[in-house]
Amino acid sequence: MNIEKLIKLAYTAREKAYTPYSNFKVGAAVVTENNNIYSGCNIENAAYSPSICAERTAIFKAISEGESKIKLIVIVGTNDFTYPCGVCRQVIKEFAKDTCKIIVANNKMEYKTFTLDELLPYSFGPEDLRR
């Protein structure tokens, strides 16, 4: 998968972000195990709690289209490197393959690659409920 292409897709999604309160725009692109790509942006709400992050928007779009697992996610924010929040990390855990890579990119097309275990050590997931 071409990382630069995915970063550009995340940038494009970021431009669609609805952020009238924070003006902190985030875009994400998700690649599923079927190699389909879904993008998403963050969407704010005046009540704050109904807001949703770009990562979750992209993942939920994929799942709503019948996908079951993601294998890669790219995140770009307004500033330097933007990492997924705790809620997004938990959602990634729910729908990620064990080998899922999480890429955070800055505005200079530089990026860092992480595993989910690096960003969410000692996590709780579906496998913990099947014991």
Side-chain angles (χ1 to χ4, degrees):
M1 197 58 51
N2 183 325
I3 300 301
E4 287 186 8
K5 175 185 173 188
L6 293 169
I7 292 171
K8 287 178 183 176
L9 287 171
Y11 282 140
T12 299
R14 181 183 71 181
E15 295 309 311
K16 297 175 184 171
Y18 177 76
T19 61
Y21 309 107
S22 71
N23 202 33
F24 189 81
K25 296 177 181 286
V26 180
V30 167
V31 181
T32 65
E33 66 182 350
N34 295 324
N35 290 320
N36 293 319
I37 300 169
Y38 299 86
S39 61
C41 62
N42 56 322
I43 303 165
E44 293 180 344
N45 187 284
Y48 289 115
S49 62
S51 298
I52 187 167
C53 298
E55 302 91 304
R56 285 183 281 147
T57 299
I59 291 168
F60 293 160
K61 283 172 67 176
I63 300 305
S64 72
E65 292 297 323
E67 301 286 350
S68 61
K69 290 290 179 192
I70 61 170
K71 66 178 182 179
L72 175 71
I73 186 164
V74 175
I75 305 158
V76 297
T78 301
N79 303 327
D80 205 17
F81 293 98
T82 300
Y83 298 87
C85 73
V87 173
C88 287
R89 292 175 196 209
Q90 188 62 47
V91 169
I92 293 167
K93 170 70 176 175
E94 184 75 20
F95 298 109
K97 295 181 72 169
D98 290 339
T99 56
C100 182
K101 299 291 182 202
I102 300 160
I103 297 172
V104 293
N106 65 12
N107 292 325
K108 300 174 189 161
M109 294 296 284
E110 300 167 333
Y111 62 90
K112 299 176 184 180
T113 304
F114 300 93
T115 65
L116 183 57
D117 283 342
E118 289 174 309
L119 294 181
L120 189 64
Y122 310 108
S123 63
F124 181 87
E127 65 279 358
D128 294 302
L129 296 174
R130 295 186 187 122
R131 293 186 179 169

